[in-house]
Amino acid sequence: MGKNKSVEESGKSSRLERKKPGVGGWGGVKEQDKLSVGFVEALKVIVGSPHVSTAAAVREQHGHDESMHRCRPPDAVVWPQNVEQVSRLAALCYGQGVPIIPFGTGTGLEGGVCAVQGGVCINLTHMDRILELNPEDFSVVVEPGVTRKALNRHLRDSGLWFPVDPGADASLCGMAATGASGTNAVRYGTMRDNVLNLEVVLPDGRLLHTAGCGRHFRKSAAGYNLTGLFVGSEGTLGLITSATLRLHPAPEATVAATCAFPTIQAAVDSTVHILQAAVPVARIEFLDDVVMDACNRHSKMDCPVAPSLFLEFHGSAQALAEQLQRAEEIAQYHGASHFSWAKEAEERSRLWAARHNAWYAIMALRPGCKGYSTDVCVPISRLPEILVQTKEDLQASGLTGAILGHVGDGNFHCILLVDPEDAEEVGRLEAFAEQLGRRALALHGTCTGEHGIGLGKRQLLQEEVGAVAMEIMRQLKAGLDPRGLMNPGKVL
């Protein structure tokens, strides 16, 4: 997430820049920014009355994600049942100048679902079919309501799996929209590497297949990469109504391990060394001493309270033996201790459940406070430097927080606990987050490896890519969404 200051600035901006569409047709938007009765009735005609709500509690539920960005509820929430309804909803909203906000599982961390200009939230979770499985081609087509866990349950007996795991049981099309990543990215890549085609409803209701209707090839030199344009667009260019995803063979054998280190430097130096030695690790996660202590308490573990690595290897039994030996040698060279191997599925599941529940473990360190999570990503060679500096900055800030992340691809997170009513503490948090983002940029990295830009990191994005790139992004946005109605106030 970005700074709370940016949230407030974006709030002021949206209040100043809020356009008042003219009243006509179904009535558009009333002067007090509420949808007219006629417009709400038009929504009901498209999806049916049970699938439209203007209740305050429902709107509030859809006005925030898991970030600290304040709730900005839409004026109505609708649940389409198919792509035709999504297309008609978009055309209706577009014609009347009503903002459109896509909604999946609401597990984002950058305020991407906040309705900063009101409008209609289109909740896509009722579209939850797995449309087509092509096991011989290692691909599958899913609707936006399908989550990663649901897909992998469906694939359980096929010998295939989808490895991108951002932690939360997010919707797969939402993961495509945010360019999500996760613990397996070091071997299998992020969503950008695993999306082959997208079906997208554009803001005016037109239907686009980014790689051609029904196509699921692995490579192409045909025209612009429209699929890549929409992956990571955070709902600002269109509504993703199906995704064709790349699947992978389930590994023959899997082994996980934990090892503790005397310092952060030693742990991250070991990570870099393992990667440089071309050890084909599938997962390599860093957890600092604060995270380990929290996980021990929350998940009933008994690991050393020290900077640690969680590793996992996939392959044949023979190959794994060689990988394990090499990784252990490298880790021990850098001072690792308490090596613990987890070969049984139950042991591995317990280990990774603890890692995925780290957010809740850290939240328990300071009950009653809000959690704030931000992420950056740097070149692997700069990872030891920034992690050591970040730990020093965190200790100097006096904030309660922890560092963990997918260090195999240079990405890590800071999770901070803060009292949102304490202005002085919020100020320290803002300063820390801003310093971290700019430190990553100074080391030729990015202000976000996987959370996205959303509301809070727009200034950092501009500093990262420069004026020319920002202008090109604005032109692309204007070309696809000239009225600025698609998830307004995000990214740009």
Side-chain angles (χ1 to χ4, degrees):
M1 271 164 288
K3 307 177 298 173
N4 286 356
K5 179 180 179 182
S6 298
V7 181
E8 293 305 314
E9 288 173 351
S10 68
K12 294 175 183 176
S13 174
S14 67
R15 286 192 292 273
L16 291 172
E17 298 173 0
R18 176 75 186 265
K19 295 179 180 179
K20 306 284 187 180
V23 177
W26 290 107
V29 178
K30 288 185 177 179
E31 191 64 22
Q32 65 268 33
D33 294 337
K34 300 297 181 184
L35 301 178
S36 69
V37 173
F39 186 88
V40 173
E41 288 304 311
L43 296 175
K44 294 178 180 178
V45 168
I46 295 173
V47 299
S49 295
H51 304 303
V52 177
S53 178
T54 56
V58 175
R59 293 189 295 109
E60 182 175 349
Q61 177 188 354
H62 288 77
H64 65 89
D65 53 17
E66 293 188 2
S67 71
M68 279 185 60
H69 294 289
R70 69 184 180 88
C71 179
R72 307 292 290 272
D75 298 314
V77 181
V78 297
W79 288 264
Q81 311 300 302
N82 53 57
V83 64
E84 291 78 12
Q85 290 182 357
V86 176
S87 179
R88 292 174 62 192
L89 288 168
L92 174 65
C93 292
Y94 193 79
Q96 296 300 318
V98 176
I100 305 165
I101 305 94
F103 192 96
T105 56
T107 55
L109 292 167
E110 290 296 343
V113 299
C114 297
V116 296
Q117 295 184 20
V120 173
C121 173
I122 300 183
N123 184 318
L124 298 161
T125 55
H126 285 191
M127 297 170 60
D128 58 358
R129 294 178 299 163
I130 296 173
L131 298 174
E132 183 180 349
L133 175 62
N134 301 293
E136 297 87 357
D137 295 327
F138 297 90
S139 71
V140 66
V141 183
V142 299
E143 288 189 321
V146 179
T147 67
R148 64 178 185 88
K149 289 184 180 179
L151 175 60
N152 280 324
R153 283 194 298 269
H154 183 81
L155 296 172
R156 186 172 295 153
D157 298 325
S158 70
L160 302 172
W161 74 312
F162 187 73
V164 183
D165 65 331
D169 189 22
S171 62
L172 291 158
C173 289
M175 288 165 58
T178 56
S181 181
T183 60
N184 286 305
V186 64
R187 176 161 180 164
Y188 299 97
T190 70
M191 289 300 289
R192 293 186 184 277
D193 306 298
N194 289 283
V195 177
L196 304 176
N197 199 352
L198 293 172
E199 179 185 77
V200 181
V201 171
L202 297 175
D204 60 4
R206 289 178 296 162
L207 190 64
L208 167 70
H209 295 91
T210 58
C213 185
R215 305 193 186 279
H216 51 271
F217 42 73
R218 288 293 184 91
K219 61 188 293 188
S220 171
Y224 297 134
N225 183 3
L226 296 181
T227 303
L229 175 62
F230 283 89
V231 174
S233 60
E234 302 185 40
T236 62
L237 301 179
L239 299 111
I240 299 175
T241 50
S242 77
T244 304
L245 304 174
R246 177 183 180 184
L247 300 177
H248 297 259
E252 175 187 328
T254 303
V255 176
T258 62
C259 49
F261 292 83
T263 64
I264 289 177
Q265 181 84 45
V268 187
D269 282 345
S270 181
T271 299
V272 175
H273 193 167
I274 288 171
L275 296 172
Q276 290 175 338
V279 179
V281 63
R283 292 172 164 176
I284 183 164
E285 295 286 300
F286 170 79
L287 300 86
D288 75 359
D289 57 322
V290 177
V291 182
M292 293 306 301
D293 184 37
C295 287
N296 280 344
R297 300 183 194 186
H298 184 79
S299 299
K300 305 298 186 289
M301 298 172 65
D302 189 25
C303 295
V305 179
S308 301
L309 294 180
F310 285 14
L311 305 100
E312 189 168 275
F313 302 88
H314 298 169
S316 67
Q318 181 179 354
L320 286 185
E322 297 174 359
Q323 295 169 23
L324 298 178
Q325 181 181 355
R326 184 65 177 134
E328 188 168 359
E329 289 173 353
I330 292 172
Q332 289 175 344
Y333 174 80
H334 290 281
S337 61
H338 300 91
F339 242 88
S340 175
W341 297 107
K343 297 183 180 181
E344 300 301 323
E346 186 175 344
E347 292 180 89
R348 295 196 312 272
S349 295
R350 184 166 176 264
L351 180 68
W352 291 110
R355 166 60 184 90
H356 284 314
N357 289 329
W359 168 270
Y360 305 104
I362 294 167
M363 291 291 293
L365 296 177
R366 196 178 172 194
C369 287
K370 293 288 187 180
Y372 175 100
S373 179
T374 188
D375 83 312
V376 296
C377 187
V378 298
I380 295 294
S381 63
R382 310 309 294 269
L383 193 59
E385 176 183 352
I386 192 171
L387 272 171
V388 170
Q389 291 174 333
T390 301
K391 185 68 170 180
E392 293 173 353
D393 293 342
L394 182 54
Q395 292 171 337
S397 72
L399 297 166
T400 300
I403 303 172
L404 68 164
H406 321 310
V407 289
D409 49 13
N411 180 213
F412 69 94
H413 311 263
C414 289
I415 299 177
L416 307 172
L417 304 179
V418 64
D419 177 0
E421 303 301 320
D422 186 334
E424 188 274 334
E425 186 174 51
V426 170
R428 283 186 281 130
L429 181 146
E430 292 174 353
F432 173 86
E434 181 176 349
Q435 182 180 34
L436 175 59
R438 292 205 165 93
R439 195 185 295 283
L441 298 183
L443 296 177
H444 307 294
T446 174
C447 65
T448 176
E450 58 185 23
H451 289 182
I453 297 299
L455 282 170
K457 287 190 173 180
R458 290 176 294 176
Q459 178 58 41
L460 286 172
L461 174 65
Q462 184 165 326
E463 294 175 23
E464 179 173 326
V465 302
V468 174
M470 289 298 294
E471 181 58 28
I472 295 299
M473 290 185 195
R474 292 190 181 98
Q475 290 173 358
L476 287 168
K477 167 74 170 172
L480 290 168
D481 181 20
R483 301 193 70 178
L485 297 175
M486 198 72 232
N487 206 11
K490 317 298 166 47
V491 184
L492 302 177

